[in-house]
C-alpha cells in the first residue's frame, strides 16, 4: 500500500521478482563503485555511460535483512552481513541456515541478531516498564502493519515473522515491539541472557533498540556491557 499510493508498486508478481531486481541493482552499484561508470541493459535497468562519483576508497560492506531462503541466498551471493529477527530459541536455526548458504557460495557472511532491550535496576522495575509499553500499544498501527505483512507471498521471510508477532499483539496485547524479540530484566539479568544467546546461537553480533534510545544506549554502555563475558575477546575495532 505504501508504494501503490505513489504509483510505484510493480504488481504482486514483484514479491517473487524483488531479489532478482536487487541482484541487478547491487551488481550495477558495485560496478559503479569499482569503475566509476557503467553501461548496461538488464531486465530492470538501462544505463548509458552512467557515472557515479566519488568512488569509494575501500570495499563497502552490504547488510541485508531477508530471512526467507531467497533472502539468505541473496546475502550469500551479494551481501556481507544479515540482520536476523528471531527469539533465542529459534535464532540458531536461522544462523545455521545463513552460514550454510554462505558456505555454498564460498563466502563468509556475518549474522547479527536484533533485540529490543528493557533494562532497569531490578527485574521487577524492568517488567513494569514493559507492561506500560504493552498496555499503551497502538493497535490501529499494528493492524495496518498486519495488512501490509499479510500481502507478502514470499513464505518464510521477514514479513511472515512480523505477521506472527503482530498477530499476537493484536489478539493478546503482547509483542508490542514491532515483533522484535525483547530482552527484559535487570542490568545483570540482561547481560546474562545476552551471554547465553551469544554462546548458544553462533551470532557474530547484535543490533539493539531501546525504548528511550539515548538513555538506553548510555545505560547499556555503563551498566550492561561491562558485565558481558562474550565481549572479552572482542577487539576495540570490532566493538566500535
Amino acid at each position: 500500500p505504501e508504494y501503490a499510493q505513489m504509483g510505484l508498486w510493480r504488481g504482486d508478481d514483484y514479491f517473487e521478482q524483488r531479489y532478482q531486481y536487487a541482484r541487478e541493482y547491487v551488481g550495477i552499484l558495485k560496478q559503479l563503485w569499482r569503475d566509476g561508470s557503467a553501461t548496461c541493459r538488464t531486465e530492470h535497468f538501462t544505463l548509458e555511460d552512467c557515472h557515479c562519483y566519488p568512488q569509494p576508497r575501500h570495499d563497502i560492506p552490504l547488510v541485508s535483512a531477508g530471512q526467507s531462503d531467497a533472502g539468505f541466498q541473496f546475502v550469500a551471493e551479494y551481501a556481507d552481513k544479515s540482520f536476523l529477527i528471531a527469539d533465542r530459541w529459534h535464532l540458531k536455526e536461522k544462523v545455521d541456515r545463513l552460514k550454510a548458504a554462505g558456505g555454498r557460495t564460498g563466502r563468509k557472511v556475518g549474522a547479527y541478531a536484533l533485540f529490543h532491550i528493557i533494562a532497569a535496576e531490578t527485574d521487577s522495575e524492568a517488567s513494569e516498564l514493559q507492561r506500560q509499553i504493552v498496555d499503551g500499544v497502538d493497535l490501529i498501527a499494528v493492524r495496518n502493519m498486519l495488512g501490509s505483512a499479510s500481502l507478502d507471498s514470499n513464505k518464510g521471510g521477514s514479513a511472515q515473522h512480523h505477521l506472527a508477532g503482530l498477530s499476537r499483539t493484536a489478539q493478546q496485547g503482547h509483542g508490542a515491539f514491532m515483533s522484535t524479540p525483547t530482552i527484559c530484566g535487570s542490568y545483570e539479568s540482561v547481560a546474562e541472557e545476552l551471554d547465553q544467546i551469544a554462546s548458544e546461537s553462533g551470532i557474530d553480533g547484535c543490533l539493539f533498540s531501546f525504548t528511550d534510545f539515548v538513555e538506553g544506549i548510555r545505560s547499556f554502555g555503563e551498566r550492561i556491557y561491562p558485565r558481558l563475558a562474550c565481549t572479552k575477546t572482542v577487539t576495540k575495532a570490532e566493538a566500535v
Side-chain angles (χ1 to χ4, degrees), residues 40-240:
C40 65
R41 181 182 296 274
T42 69
E43 181 179 353
H44 300 287
F45 297 95
T46 299
L47 281 72
E48 189 68 38
D49 195 25
C50 176
H51 291 75
C52 179
Y53 297 112
Q55 289 177 251
R57 295 182 179 181
H58 53 78
D59 290 338
I60 298 176
L62 299 181
V63 182
S64 178
Q67 298 190 134
S68 64
D69 289 339
F72 282 159
Q73 185 61 32
F74 176 80
V75 174
E77 294 175 5
Y78 288 91
D80 302 284
K81 308 177 191 303
S82 179
F83 286 140
L84 305 177
I85 305 176
D87 59 47
R88 59 178 298 186
W89 297 277
H90 298 91
L91 184 57
K92 186 178 187 305
E93 180 268 334
K94 291 192 175 183
V95 172
D96 290 345
R97 283 174 52 209
L98 175 66
K99 302 286 187 178
R104 289 192 293 271
T105 59
R107 300 181 69 245
K108 183 179 180 181
V109 293
Y112 287 74
L114 171 63
F115 292 103
H116 187 88
I117 292 182
I118 300 176
E121 291 289 348
T122 65
D123 290 340
S124 60
E125 288 180 71
S127 295
E128 174 59 20
L129 290 173
Q130 186 178 45
R131 184 194 65 77
Q132 292 175 12
I133 295 170
V134 170
D135 288 348
V137 65
D138 185 343
L139 289 176
I140 294 176
V142 170
R143 292 189 183 105
N144 287 338
M145 293 182 67
L146 273 168
S148 294
S150 64
L151 298 174
D152 193 341
S153 60
N154 190 13
K155 302 305 179 186
S158 300
Q160 188 168 323
H161 171 85
H162 288 309
L163 194 60
L166 291 167
S167 296
R168 289 193 294 273
T169 298
Q171 295 165 6
Q172 304 166 356
H174 297 300
F177 301 94
M178 307 286 282
S179 73
T180 301
T182 302
I183 300 175
C184 178
S186 67
Y187 302 118
E188 183 177 5
S189 296
V190 170
E192 289 176 354
E193 185 163 353
L194 286 172
D195 276 333
Q196 290 176 347
I197 290 170
S199 64
E200 296 168 357
S201 65
I203 57 173
D204 298 288
C206 285
L207 171 68
F208 299 123
S209 63
F210 304 94
T211 306
D212 179 332
F213 201 88
V214 174
E215 178 56 34
I217 200 166
R218 179 184 292 115
S219 63
F220 179 86
E222 295 176 351
R223 309 295 295 278
I224 299 173
Y225 188 84
R227 289 181 160 94
L228 292 173
C230 63
T231 62
K232 297 302 185 284
T233 58
V234 175
T235 67
K236 183 177 181 181
E238 289 172 331
V240 173

